[in-house]
Amino acid sequence: MSEPDPFASPFHPVHLPGEPSGPVPAGYGYPAPMPAAQPGPLAQRPVTTTASFWSWIAGALLTVLVLPGLYYLRLDLLGADLHAESQLDPTPLTRAEADLLAAFLPLIYGAGLAVASVPFVVAAFKIRSGRNWARVTLAVLGGVAIVFGLLMLGLFASGTITYVPWLVGVAWSLAFLASVLLGIVAMFLPASNAYVRSVYPR
């Protein structure tokens, strides 16, 4: 039985003396094909990151949809105030015009809140992908949101905003603050930290 030549090229057949020459084995004369790279398993998103994402989405919905909608509970008071204030103008509003303006004011308010909520929503979707910059962004924006929630809580609890029942306003403020706090805490829990490190290791 012939012995393999240790100095032979791995890409060309070598026949020792007395060894019958046979067909060229497949692959000789060509570099061996590199094995195809197999994609590694994707890091599984933890429940904490998912909970944080939905908390931020809930906070955005409470701000953009629910808060302006609260003003429709006492829209007649808003219309009456607009009508009374316009009596000092050169061209005062009629009551019908004041009621129509009152119906549009919450929509304008909601549009402004929707614009302000865009960074929250974008960053919330990015934390689902394990982006650490999104967590830092939401932590900073979350501080602003907490101040906003506390301000609204004070206004509703003191009865300063008369167009929304104080109990409804306080309940909204507490729900909003809870969603923001849960979003901040959940995205920095150990499972969320491990997820960020596994997706983008340093």
Side-chain angles (χ1 to χ4, degrees):
M1 182 175 182
S2 61
E3 296 291 336
D5 184 359
F7 302 103
S9 169
F11 305 121
H12 301 281
V14 175
H15 301 285
L16 297 178
E19 180 182 0
S21 61
V24 177
Y28 270 84
Y30 302 95
M34 296 295 293
Q38 298 296 327
L42 296 177
Q44 184 176 4
R45 186 184 307 115
V47 177
T48 53
T49 300
T50 303
S52 177
F53 165 76
W54 285 112
S55 296
W56 290 112
I57 296 301
L61 293 177
L62 284 171
T63 304
V64 177
L65 299 180
V66 179
L67 181 57
L70 298 180
Y71 288 86
Y72 286 99
L73 298 176
R74 291 180 175 175
L75 198 61
D76 55 336
L77 295 180
L78 180 58
D81 284 351
L82 291 175
H83 178 259
E85 293 175 0
S86 69
Q87 300 308 307
L88 302 177
D89 297 336
T91 55
L93 298 174
T94 65
R95 183 55 194 269
E97 293 172 340
D99 289 341
L100 183 61
L101 178 60
F104 275 100
L105 283 181
L107 298 178
I108 299 173
Y109 184 38
L113 293 174
V115 174
S117 298
V118 170
F120 290 86
V121 175
V122 172
F125 274 96
K126 291 301 181 180
I127 63 172
R128 298 178 76 249
S129 304
R131 300 295 201 278
N132 189 55
W133 66 263
R135 296 196 305 170
V136 175
T137 301
L138 285 175
V140 175
L141 294 177
V144 179
I146 290 175
V147 173
F148 173 74
L150 291 175
L151 175 62
M152 297 302 297
L153 177 61
L155 293 176
F156 285 131
S158 64
T160 303
I161 301 179
T162 59
Y163 312 119
V164 177
W166 75 269
L167 182 59
V168 176
V170 168
W172 177 91
S173 301
L174 295 177
F176 175 76
L177 288 171
S179 66
V180 173
L181 291 174
L182 178 59
I184 293 175
V185 172
M187 69 183 180
F188 286 107
L189 288 176
S192 298
N193 294 334
Y195 173 61
V196 172
R197 289 193 298 266
S198 65
V199 174
Y200 293 97
R202 295 179 181 178

